[in-house]
Amino acid sequence: MILHTLIDYDVLRLIWWALLGILLIAFALTDGFDLGTGMLLPFVGRTDIERRVVINTIGPVWEGNQVWLILGGGAIFAAWPPLYAVSFSSFYLAMFAILFALILRPVGFKYRSKREGTRWRAVWDWALFAGGLVPSLILGVAVGNVLLGVPFRLDGDLRIFYDGSFFGLLSPFALLCGLVSVAMLATQGACWLVLKTSGEVAERARRYGSAAAFLTLLLFALGGIALWAWVDGYRITSAIDPLGASNPLRKTAETATGAWFDNYAAHPWLMLAPAAGLAGSALALLLLRVRSEVGALLASSLAILGIILTVGVSIFPFLLPSSADPRASLTVWDASSSHLTLFIMLVASAIFVPIIVAYTSWVYRVLWGKVDEASLKEPGNHAY
């Protein structure tokens, strides 16, 4: 018996859909507070030493956190090749902007303290701000466009044709999703700073985090209302074959206002996802106000978990709907790699992901504790 036949094709497809979600959530939880901290840097740090404190809360860990983004991209490439091809082609300029912004982060960390000039350091502080804001905004806008549908189509040979433009991605609903992402990650960054700093920096982070948590709650609720009342969702109108070949054109699909809520009607327990997003944001706001450091970060993480899960369960089994031709929409059941490829990648993931989790946990354990002005002056401390 061939080993990969031990797990059915449909089960492997479902496992990889879940793994992709886990990788994206891990990125949002960890690199999310890096991005949020960058966004808050010019505001919570008023003096040079305060900004150094802020930078040193994420400086030692941001590279490890970004591994989850790389793993997510790799998972899309290996498990969902059509999704990789369509998304990286359709969002090329947006992804270039994200890449450019992410490059500003290591450059800012390395160059900021190479000179003592106030103007020099201020420039790199705002570069770190852009390195946090731009990816957070664009990634949220991308999610908004996934919910709206992307204008691509496939011909009979499954060649991809994209009919949209960069500025066409900036619809009001997509920008609303971008603002949800910014507020959500700013909350995560603020909660991280409250946990890792003290004094005025922590107090300012608490105030900004409270505002961001409130905006996350408000904007996420508005997004749900818009999704129900105005945004056309997608549904499959033909029979679904979870074991079928990876050919999106073997199905039919249609659009309908409120269709993204079909899964909740069929399985009411899925409402736990948006409830977690709303409850996590409200709890983060409350716990920041009562100065519960660990509790606020956990609540913010719950909000991120709930918001991302909401998107995933709302559009399932769609991965990337097509607004140009709903029939060409990519789904879990018709856009995956082969049975053997998914199995080999699953074995590799079962080996290496736990190693990454163990190493990351060890790093956080070693670096646990608050960062303050005194710690930056300790002998042998190679602080940023």
Side-chain angles (χ1 to χ4, degrees):
M1 178 181 293
I2 300 175
L3 285 178
H4 73 275
T5 60
L6 295 175
I7 305 179
D8 292 338
Y9 197 13
D10 57 336
V11 175
L12 278 172
R13 283 169 160 167
L14 194 59
I15 288 173
W16 272 102
W17 173 80
L19 281 176
L20 179 59
I22 290 171
L23 293 175
L24 294 177
I25 290 170
F27 165 70
L29 291 178
T30 57
D31 207 35
F33 66 67
D34 296 334
L35 298 174
T37 297
M39 282 189 277
L40 295 173
L41 173 62
F43 310 106
V44 299
R46 303 289 175 80
T47 65
D48 181 67
I49 190 65
E50 287 181 347
R51 292 185 178 184
R52 285 190 64 209
V53 167
V54 172
I55 291 171
N56 276 275
T57 65
I58 60 173
V61 297
W62 73 269
E63 289 177 290
N65 294 338
Q66 199 161 275
V67 166
W68 298 109
L69 177 62
I70 298 170
L71 288 175
I76 294 174
F77 175 79
W80 314 102
L83 175 61
Y84 181 90
V86 174
S87 58
F88 277 68
S89 299
S90 305
F91 302 145
Y92 181 80
L93 290 178
M95 290 189 177
F96 186 84
I98 292 174
L99 179 61
F100 178 78
L102 290 176
I103 290 173
L104 289 176
R105 183 162 54 176
V107 174
F109 286 147
K110 299 298 182 182
Y111 282 9
R112 184 187 185 277
S113 295
K114 296 298 183 183
R115 293 175 58 181
E116 296 291 338
T118 302
R119 180 175 296 180
W120 170 268
R121 293 188 172 183
V123 167
W124 291 114
D125 288 341
W126 284 104
L128 291 171
F129 165 78
L133 176 65
V134 172
S136 302
L137 178 63
I138 294 180
L139 288 172
V141 169
V143 171
N145 279 280
V146 169
L147 290 165
L148 291 170
V150 177
F152 72 92
R153 52 192 170 84
L154 305 174
D155 68 6
D157 296 321
L158 299 184
R159 291 180 298 179
I160 302 165
F161 297 89
Y162 178 64
D163 300 325
S165 64
F166 173 78
F167 292 103
L169 301 175
L170 305 179
S171 66
F173 178 77
L175 289 173
L176 173 61
C177 292
L179 292 177
V180 172
S181 176
V182 169
M184 176 181 76
L185 298 184
T187 304
Q188 187 78 344
C191 292
W192 174 255
L193 287 175
V194 168
L195 179 67
K196 292 290 290 183
T197 64
S198 57
E200 286 299 315
V201 172
E203 283 301 314
R204 295 188 197 110
R206 184 174 287 110
R207 292 197 294 271
Y208 282 109
S210 299
F214 174 76
L215 286 175
T216 303
L217 179 64
L218 175 63
L219 295 172
F220 182 52
L222 287 176
I225 294 171
L227 205 63
W228 170 264
W230 298 295
V231 175
D232 285 344
Y234 293 72
R235 61 168 63 104
I236 297 174
T237 55
S238 60
I240 299 175
D241 181 9
L243 296 170
S246 289
N247 180 355
L249 298 180
R250 63 187 176 89
K251 67 174 181 304
T252 58
E254 67 177 9
T255 61
T257 303
W260 286 143
F261 288 79
D262 288 354
N263 287 339
Y264 299 106
H267 307 285
W269 62 270
L270 292 176
M271 288 298 297
L272 290 173
L278 295 170
S281 299
L283 280 172
L285 172 59
L286 174 64
L287 294 173
L288 281 170
R289 302 290 291 181
V290 300
R291 291 172 167 76
S292 175
E293 298 174 352
V294 176
L297 183 62
L298 291 175
S300 176
S301 299
L302 176 64
I304 291 175
L305 175 68
I307 290 171
I308 295 178
L309 282 178
T310 297
V311 176
V313 300
S314 295
I315 69 174
F316 183 85
F318 289 91
L319 295 171
L320 189 64
S322 168
S323 58
D325 179 10
R327 187 171 65 108
S329 299
L330 307 180
T331 76
V332 171
W333 311 122
D334 59 26
S336 72
S337 294
S338 68
H339 193 172
L340 178 59
T341 299
L342 294 182
F343 179 77
I344 292 173
M345 291 299 299
L346 180 61
V347 172
S349 299
I351 295 171
F352 291 106
V353 170
I355 294 174
I356 295 171
V357 171
Y359 171 75
T360 302
S361 301
W362 176 79
V363 169
Y364 278 100
R365 183 173 179 273
V366 170
L367 298 174
W368 191 254
K370 289 186 178 291
V371 178
D372 53 27
E373 181 178 349
S375 67
L376 299 183
K377 298 178 180 179
E378 293 177 355
N381 187 347
H382 302 286
Y384 288 91

